Amino acid sequence: MTVVLLQILLPLALLAWLIVLPADTRSALAAQACGVGAVLLALVALWTFPPWWTPGVYAVIWAAATVVHGLRRRPASAWRSTARTATALALGAVLATLGGAISALALTARATPPVAVVDIPNPLGAGNYLVAHGGSRPLLNAHLKTLDPTVPRFAAWRGQSHAVDLIALDGAGLHMDGWWPTDPARYASFGRPVHAPCSGTIIGTANDLPDNRVPDMDRAHMLGNHVLLQCGPVVIVLAHFRRGTVRVAVDQAVAAGALLGAVGNSGNSSEPHLHVHAQRPGTAAQPIGGEPLALRINGRYPVRNTRLNGGGW
């Protein structure tokens, strides 16, 4: 419901306000247009679900409304005493401030964090993918909350602090068949092949956990079905595999590009996606509690809404 509110209802309401009730002075119209535009920009930064092209549609509508209303003759003074002018000035200023602050914070999340960086190819097969969680700020990457030392239980998951979540897109830029179906098989990610992003040794797996119905999550098994692949001093963790698809075993040596399994919806996953992160080796008791490392995928630091091609394995 939050996604519907923030990515559909709120943008459409703001655009309707600009189109149907434009301010009746030029300066007030400028404030109104700037406020709506700033919030739309902020929502693009926070975008969590495709179709990825929807913000572009909003931008075209905003630009068209701004130009059309801007070309119409209206008084220049902002102090014309009407309710419409006062509302446009006040609300436009609030929206511009809020939207600008969020957009600025989101922009800083595009900077690679000050930790060691591991370069890997996209572990997924050929296709188009979107980063659902990624970036160096919690605003865009929820995994970063496990860096908080004041929460003792986060220590066991600390290695995943700079993780990336990848979802598959179909040819239309959609990630699911229908309106948030509960069947994970109706999501474009479900069943996509997952390949080893580096040559190394398998040090941990799980393969028998069920795939959740959307949006249920199994918080008792955070990674769900998974593969831990040690490549030299680095451990690459790939999680939320489809039940029964993991094809490798502990102590097995694998080459880069080897098929590991298929994307599923097991573990702490509300819909099918691939979780991938890099870390230093953990312990037997806390296998994903090692020092967290950042990832570059296909040469890019993956931030929410980054679009990536598959590895072409």
Side-chain angles (χ1 to χ4, degrees):
M1 187 60 191
T2 301
V3 172
V4 174
L5 175 63
L6 292 180
Q7 297 179 189
I8 299 176
L9 298 182
L10 179 58
L12 291 179
L14 291 174
L15 288 170
W17 176 50
L18 178 61
I19 293 168
V20 178
L21 296 171
D24 47 11
T25 69
R26 287 200 297 271
S27 50
L29 177 64
Q32 182 182 21
C34 286
V36 172
V39 171
L40 292 178
L41 184 62
L43 292 178
V44 170
L46 299 176
W47 206 257
T48 54
F49 290 100
W52 59 266
W53 43 260
T54 306
V57 175
Y58 292 159
V60 170
I61 296 172
W62 173 84
T66 300
V67 170
V68 168
H69 290 313
L71 292 175
R72 292 177 180 171
R73 297 186 64 181
R74 46 176 38 91
S77 173
W79 303 110
R80 181 177 174 182
S81 180
T82 69
R84 184 180 296 185
T85 297
T87 300
L89 283 170
L91 186 55
V94 170
L95 293 176
T97 301
L98 180 62
I102 293 174
S103 298
L105 185 59
L107 184 62
T108 66
R110 306 188 72 83
T112 305
V115 298
V117 180
V118 179
D119 284 278
I120 63 170
N122 189 337
L124 294 165
N128 295 313
Y129 302 91
L130 192 74
V131 177
H133 282 277
S136 55
R137 293 275 189 179
L139 182 69
L140 301 186
N141 192 350
H143 302 103
L144 286 164
K145 66 184 181 181
T146 53
L147 285 175
D148 186 350
T150 66
V151 184
R153 64 189 177 90
F154 284 169
W157 314 329
R158 189 171 182 273
Q160 63 102 58
S161 299
H162 296 292
V164 176
D165 288 343
L166 300 174
I167 58 176
L169 304 176
D170 64 19
L174 301 170
H175 73 302
M176 58 187 172
D177 174 22
W179 185 259
W180 275 285
T182 59
D183 182 359
R186 295 180 62 184
Y187 288 75
S189 300
F190 195 76
R192 292 292 178 105
V194 181
H195 301 265
C198 53
S199 298
T201 302
I202 304 300
I203 61 171
T205 66
N207 193 34
D208 297 324
L209 295 167
D211 291 290
N212 307 315
R213 303 289 289 181
V214 178
D216 298 338
M217 292 185 286
D218 178 5
R219 296 189 183 277
H221 305 92
M222 297 296 288
L223 295 178
N225 301 313
H226 63 269
V227 171
L228 275 63
L229 172 61
Q230 182 156 3
C231 303
V234 173
V235 176
I236 304 295
V237 179
L238 305 107
H240 309 314
F241 283 69
R242 184 178 181 180
R243 185 179 194 175
T245 66
V246 173
R247 297 194 174 197
V248 292
V250 172
D251 294 330
Q252 179 180 340
V254 299
L259 182 62
L260 301 178
V263 176
N265 197 40
S266 57
N268 187 39
S269 174
S270 60
E271 72 165 72
H273 71 281
L274 177 68
H275 166 108
V276 56
H277 78 257
Q279 62 170 70
R280 299 298 183 195
T283 64
Q286 296 183 342
I288 61 168
E291 177 190 351
L293 308 174
L295 283 173
R296 268 194 300 260
I297 299 178
N298 293 350
R300 303 169 64 187
Y301 177 59
V303 180
R304 180 179 289 176
N305 297 325
T306 300
R307 296 196 301 280
L308 300 170
N309 293 324
W313 305 107

